Amino acid sequence: MEMRNDPDIVLAAVMENGRTMEFASNALLNDRSFVLRAVQSTKATWLLNYCSRELQDDKEFQELVEQAAGTGLVFTCYHSFSCFDSVRNRFVATGASVPGGTAYDHVMTQLNKTSGGTATVWFDEIPVFGFSANKGEWVHPSEDCGRDYVPVPLQENRHEMWNSMVESRNTRLWPPVGSKHPCWCCHWLRKVKQKHAEGAVICIAVSNIYNKDWVDKYGAGSSELSDEAADKFGLKREQFRNGRPAGWGTGKIQISNGMTFSRVAPVHPHTGLPLGEGCRWERQALDSLEFPVFVFFMP
């Protein structure tokens, strides 16, 4: 009982795995100063879900918690599989980004079993605009871009964002002048923001490894991109508001369940680029939003 009531011991445990907050004493879970200290240290707004009902219902305190957490991608519990599993099963937590590939559908099945589900959008056979244009020189911003269902203008003097093909599951074409197409990025960003406004904790995964055998079975792997790999492939280096975990994109990572995985993004056989090209754009977009987004290695 003494350990459960010791703020330093509890905070150290929460820094390793946020779910341990639920084992703190009732006194600490009703202690405003301790809760704010825990949120400031972890940037995890969702710690409030483990606290007393009095604190959860206090609107002014909720605002203090939001201010204490700040914004951007949060890696506090990055290495913990059990933390993400607990978060999405304990309260509403939405998966907003997971690397694609053969394992993608299997990950989505797992995430959609839980309360918050996923914040993905799918247009199937409808051709859509993607996250880059003009041979990669234009990249979609963290807000609406202006292409969504807007007639494609004449080529003369038009914005570079229009210099892009549109793609569906089975189609890839240059959009004719005057045609209208959805922008996948705009719809995805709106859905993420909608989920957050509804009270969901927004989470992302940097690998599509859900079980260890998925590495061999589906080619699942990391989408971390080291600075060295970025330079080698002519890609933008990954930088985030709150920094990134040591060893990003290099070596191995040990997850809380004892499993160890490579952090090097494998090269995609079709694109010739490291796994997770779209996810890297999604990470930059999410890092620019005005609320924290919680990052885990495994979904």
Side-chain angles (χ1 to χ4, degrees):
M1 183 63 183
E2 285 186 20
M3 289 193 297
R4 293 178 58 206
N5 203 44
D6 186 312
D8 294 326
I9 292 176
V10 172
L11 181 58
V14 170
M15 288 291 291
E16 286 295 313
N17 188 333
R19 65 178 296 199
T20 58
M21 187 75 166
E22 66 180 314
F23 301 112
S25 68
N26 290 335
L28 284 182
L29 294 179
N30 197 41
D31 185 328
R32 292 166 186 264
S33 61
F34 170 75
V35 174
L36 284 178
R37 180 184 169 196
V39 172
Q40 287 171 337
S41 299
T42 61
K43 294 184 175 292
T45 51
W46 45 268
L47 292 180
L48 187 57
N49 287 274
Y50 294 112
C51 296
S52 68
R53 177 54 58 184
E54 178 184 348
L55 292 189
Q56 291 184 43
D57 292 341
D58 188 324
K59 298 298 183 183
E60 290 186 4
F61 188 69
Q62 289 176 21
E63 291 181 5
L64 291 176
V65 166
E66 294 287 344
Q67 293 171 13
T71 61
L73 300 189
V74 178
F75 294 88
T76 309
C77 297
Y78 184 61
H79 67 286
S80 177
F81 175 81
S82 60
C83 183
F84 191 12
D85 187 58
S86 174
V87 165
R88 64 175 181 260
N89 284 284
R90 176 70 183 259
F91 40 85
V92 180
T94 295
S97 178
V98 173
T102 311
Y104 182 77
D105 290 342
H106 303 281
V107 176
M108 290 298 102
T109 298
Q110 294 293 339
L111 294 184
N112 282 319
K113 290 179 180 178
T114 55
S115 61
T118 59
T120 56
V121 290
W122 178 240
F123 289 92
D124 198 29
E125 295 293 346
I126 300 174
V128 300
F129 285 109
F131 63 86
S132 66
N134 209 40
K135 297 181 179 180
E137 293 184 12
W138 177 85
V139 179
H140 197 289
S142 296
E143 59 273 346
D144 282 11
C145 69
R147 298 178 302 180
D148 188 42
Y149 288 114
V150 174
V152 176
L154 295 170
Q155 289 191 353
E156 186 178 0
N157 297 323
R158 72 183 183 185
H159 192 281
E160 59 185 1
M161 68 182 177
W162 295 104
N163 300 331
S164 169
M165 300 186 83
V166 290
E167 299 182 57
S168 71
R169 185 173 58 159
N170 295 308
T171 307
R172 191 166 187 260
L173 72 155
W174 286 101
V177 171
S179 62
K180 299 178 182 180
H181 304 274
C183 173
W184 178 88
C185 302
C186 287
H187 285 265
W188 175 73
L189 283 164
R190 289 174 202 154
K191 188 164 186 177
V192 170
K193 293 172 183 178
Q194 175 193 341
K195 288 281 189 178
H196 174 261
E198 292 171 353
V201 177
I202 305 300
C203 302
I204 66 174
V206 172
S207 84
N208 52 14
I209 307 169
Y210 189 79
N211 290 316
K212 189 165 187 173
D213 65 353
W214 284 22
V215 176
D216 296 325
K217 188 181 294 185
Y218 303 121
S222 169
S223 66
E224 291 186 12
L225 185 71
S226 68
D227 290 345
E228 181 182 11
D231 295 344
K232 175 183 176 181
F233 288 95
L235 302 172
K236 185 178 179 180
R237 292 185 176 189
E238 290 199 276
Q239 302 293 336
F240 309 114
R241 288 183 182 181
N242 299 313
R244 62 191 189 189
W248 185 258
T250 62
K252 296 183 180 296
I253 184 171
Q254 184 171 29
I255 305 304
S256 60
N257 55 14
M259 293 192 288
T260 300
F261 300 100
S262 171
R263 301 179 71 167
V264 180
V267 175
H268 195 285
H270 301 305
T271 66
L273 295 173
L275 177 72
E277 185 181 6
C279 287
R280 286 188 281 280
W281 171 77
E282 292 172 358
R283 290 200 281 267
Q284 293 300 322
L286 292 168
D287 193 51
S288 299
L289 299 182
E290 294 308 308
F291 50 83
V293 174
F294 303 95
V295 192
F296 299 88
F297 182 80
M298 293 176 67

